[in-house]
């Protein structure tokens, strides 16, 4: 029998400030207003102080002639270039160091992290010595070591160390061959991109095939064959030719090839080895976080040691490794600014140094530099968070 709800006493109304939802929104609004007021106050004080000092503001200096040289650039640049071109050179040089540093640091970190867990005493001891030594020395001191004690101490040009008759190392940097592609090479690039898209589709299919049948498709070997075979066929059919400009000693320096200055080599080597020591510990912790029962289960299936690591341990360890490794990537991007201490023309050196001193636009230059580092770090963080969600366990 249904009860008559009309006889129930309605719940007493409470004041709006006792409602947790409304109270939370009020607190959020107050914090937002406080932040906006602080920003407006800082902006007002800055404008007043600049006006008292008779300093002009604005971004019109970007279209003025820079008037200084940069010895290492990825795009055409000269004294007659504008400040925005100098800014672009510095940003690209920073981006180059960040990308190469992340690649090599990841490689070094994974090798050292796995080596530290090795049952071989010598390999484990070497990995432990590397990690405990490198991570306890400041990054700036390591950059000075690589630059002043190693690279600048190399022999002069005429006494260079020559490897394979094509690679030369001296106190002016590293000289390597420069590839020269003919007009048909773009066909090979297009074929590689198509092969890459096909591999992506194949990856999707192999996962569905595994879920439906329980049978593993040999994806890695098939993908490698596709990425090599398709561009290779197009290469032969198109008649593409690739030659190499080998650096040759002429006069007082090497001519031809690509010259990587010691400042660039020092920052890439130093920052990769430094960050690799932290990533190694992250990898070791991730592997140890995987339950030992997983290893025993893989052993019972007859998997070899390398297959157990590649197919069972590492995929599960990645869920633990990715978040702290993201922090190391962000540290590496920001530590790339230490290159200014050894004269490498990255963003801080070119823009915060020379450009700021010549234009006097401190507020604008500092703001743009901070914005660039924020954008780079946020992009790395977003990419790693996306990958972390991909490898995370899906709750059912």
């Amino acid at each position: 029998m249904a009860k008559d709800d009309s006889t129930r006493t309605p719940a007493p109304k409470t004041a709006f400030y006792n409602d947790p939802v409304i109270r939370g929104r009020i607190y959020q609004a107050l914090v937002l207003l406080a932040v906006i007021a602080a920003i407006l106050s800082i902006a007002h004080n800055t404008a007043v102080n600049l006006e008292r000092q008779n300093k002009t503001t604005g971004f019109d200096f970007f279209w003025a002639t820079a008037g200084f040289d940069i010895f290492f650039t990825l795009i055409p640049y000269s004294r007659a270039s504008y400040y925005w071109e100098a800014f672009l050179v510095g940003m690209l040089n920073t981006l180059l160091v960040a990308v190469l540093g992340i690649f090599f640091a990841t490689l070094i970190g994974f090798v050292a992290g796995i080596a530290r867990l090795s049952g071989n005493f010598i390999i484990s001891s070497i990995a432990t010595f590397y990690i405990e030594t490198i991570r306890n020395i400041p990054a700036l001191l390591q950059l000075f070591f690589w630059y002043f004690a190693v690279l600048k101490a190399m022999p002069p040009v005429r006494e260079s160390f020559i490897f394979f008759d094509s690679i030369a190392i001296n106190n002016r940097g590293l000289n390597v061959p420069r590839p020269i592609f003919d007009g048909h090479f773009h066909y090979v690039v297009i074929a590689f991109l198509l092969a890459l898209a096909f591999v992506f589709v194949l990856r999707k299919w192999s996962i569905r095939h595994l879920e439906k049948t329980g049978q593993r498709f040999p994806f890695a070997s098939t993908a490698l064959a596709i990425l090599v075979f398709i561009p290779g066929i197009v290469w032969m059919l198109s008649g593409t030719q690739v030659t190499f400009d080998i650096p040759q000693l002429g006069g007082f320096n090497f001519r031809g090839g690509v010259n990587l200055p010691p400042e660039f080599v020092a920052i890439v080597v130093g920052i990769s080895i430094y960050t690799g020591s932290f990533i190694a510990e992250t990898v070791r912790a991730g592997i140890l976080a995987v339950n030992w029962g997983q290893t025993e289960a893989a052993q019972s299936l007859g998997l070899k040691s390398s297959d157990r690591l590649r197919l069972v341990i590492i995929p599960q360890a990645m869920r633990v490794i990715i978040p702290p490794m993201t922090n190391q990537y962000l540290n590496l991007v920001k530590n790339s600014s230490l290159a200014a201490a050894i004269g490498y023309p990255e963003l801080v050196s070119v823009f915060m140094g020379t450009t700021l001193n010549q234009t006097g636009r401190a507020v604008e230059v500092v703001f743009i530099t901070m914005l660039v580092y924020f954008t780079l770090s946020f992009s790395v963080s977003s990419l790693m968070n996306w990958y972390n969600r991909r490898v995370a366990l899906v709750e059912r």
Side-chain angles (χ1 to χ4, degrees):
M1 184 177 179
K3 293 183 179 179
D4 185 5
D5 294 338
S6 62
T7 60
R8 290 185 175 180
T9 304
K13 291 185 178 180
T14 58
F16 73 93
Y17 49 82
N18 286 328
D19 188 330
V21 176
I22 296 177
R23 193 169 53 201
R25 290 175 180 172
I26 292 175
Y27 288 155
Q28 293 174 24
L30 291 175
V31 171
L32 181 62
L33 289 175
V35 171
I36 293 174
I39 294 174
L40 291 177
S41 176
I42 293 173
H44 175 72
N45 288 336
T46 303
V48 170
N49 291 332
L50 289 174
E51 187 176 357
R52 287 176 180 172
Q53 299 173 13
N54 293 324
K55 289 187 176 180
T56 58
T57 58
F59 297 93
D60 55 327
F61 69 93
F62 269 113
W63 284 265
T65 303
F68 61 89
D69 280 328
I70 302 176
F71 67 89
F72 183 74
T73 67
L74 299 179
I75 59 174
Y77 177 85
S78 68
R79 283 175 176 267
S81 299
Y82 298 116
Y83 278 116
W84 69 265
E85 293 175 290
F87 164 75
L88 191 59
V89 168
M91 189 176 65
L92 290 176
N93 286 348
T94 294
L95 196 58
L96 179 65
V97 169
V99 172
L100 291 178
I102 287 175
F103 174 77
F104 288 118
T106 304
L107 195 63
I108 294 171
F110 266 84
V111 172
I114 294 173
R116 190 167 184 184
L117 295 173
S118 172
N120 187 305
F121 175 75
I122 296 177
I123 294 177
S124 175
S125 299
I126 292 174
T128 302
F129 177 77
Y130 156 69
I131 293 170
E132 296 300 335
T133 303
I134 297 299
R135 72 173 180 170
N136 289 311
I137 299 176
L140 184 59
L141 292 182
Q142 295 189 39
L143 289 186
F144 287 156
F145 168 78
W146 287 109
Y147 182 63
F148 292 110
V150 177
L151 295 169
K152 295 301 285 184
M154 286 285 175
V157 173
R158 292 189 176 279
E159 300 174 9
S160 301
F161 295 121
I162 308 293
F163 301 95
F164 308 110
D165 293 330
S166 58
I167 300 174
I169 302 177
N170 52 56
N171 58 6
R172 293 187 182 180
L174 176 65
N175 297 276
V176 297
R178 181 168 63 89
I180 300 174
F181 306 103
D182 67 2
H184 300 287
F185 187 74
H186 63 278
Y187 293 118
V188 180
V189 175
I190 294 173
F192 179 78
L193 294 177
L194 292 176
L196 203 61
F198 184 68
V199 166
F200 180 77
V201 175
L202 184 65
R203 171 69 176 168
K204 293 278 188 182
W205 175 85
S206 65
I207 293 175
R208 289 198 299 269
H209 179 72
L210 177 63
E211 293 174 348
K212 286 182 180 179
T213 65
Q215 296 178 347
R216 183 176 295 277
F217 180 77
F219 171 75
S221 57
T222 306
L224 181 62
I226 292 172
L227 291 176
V228 173
F229 183 74
I230 294 179
I233 291 294
V234 174
W235 186 306
M236 290 187 290
L237 293 178
S238 63
T240 301
Q241 297 291 328
V242 179
T243 58
F244 288 90
D245 182 15
I246 307 296
Q248 300 290 338
L249 182 60
F252 296 101
N253 203 351
F254 279 86
R255 302 181 187 278
V258 177
N259 175 257
L260 303 175
E263 294 82 4
F264 171 76
V265 179
I267 181 64
V268 172
V269 172
I271 208 169
S272 300
I273 292 178
Y274 177 75
T275 309
S277 64
F278 290 92
I279 293 179
E281 281 299 89
T282 301
V283 170
R284 185 175 72 93
I287 293 175
L288 291 177
V290 178
N291 193 292
W292 178 249
Q294 297 290 318
T295 303
E296 293 178 332
Q299 288 175 334
S300 67
L301 292 175
L303 292 177
K304 296 185 296 184
S305 176
S306 58
D307 289 338
R308 289 199 300 269
L309 191 65
R310 181 172 59 89
L311 300 175
V312 179
I313 306 302
I314 293 296
Q316 297 184 72
M318 290 302 289
R319 300 181 185 119
V320 180
I321 292 173
I322 292 298
M325 193 159 70
T326 302
N327 293 333
Q328 296 306 323
Y329 286 171
L330 298 181
N331 288 336
L332 188 147
V333 171
K334 289 176 283 191
N335 284 340
S336 66
S337 61
L338 295 175
I342 56 175
Y344 175 69
E346 45 77 60
L347 184 62
V348 172
S349 174
V350 173
F351 203 55
M352 286 274 295
T354 310
T355 301
L356 191 152
N357 290 333
Q358 291 190 177
T359 62
R361 306 292 179 88
V363 176
E364 295 85 345
V365 169
V366 171
F367 174 74
I368 293 174
T369 306
M370 292 170 60
L371 187 62
V372 169
Y373 277 102
F374 169 78
T375 305
L376 290 177
S377 299
F378 186 73
S379 301
V380 172
S381 176
S382 300
L383 182 64
M384 294 301 291
N385 288 337
W386 170 81
Y387 181 70
N388 190 37
R389 288 193 295 271
R390 292 279 306 221
V391 300
L393 286 175
V394 179
E395 299 290 343
R396 297 180 183 277

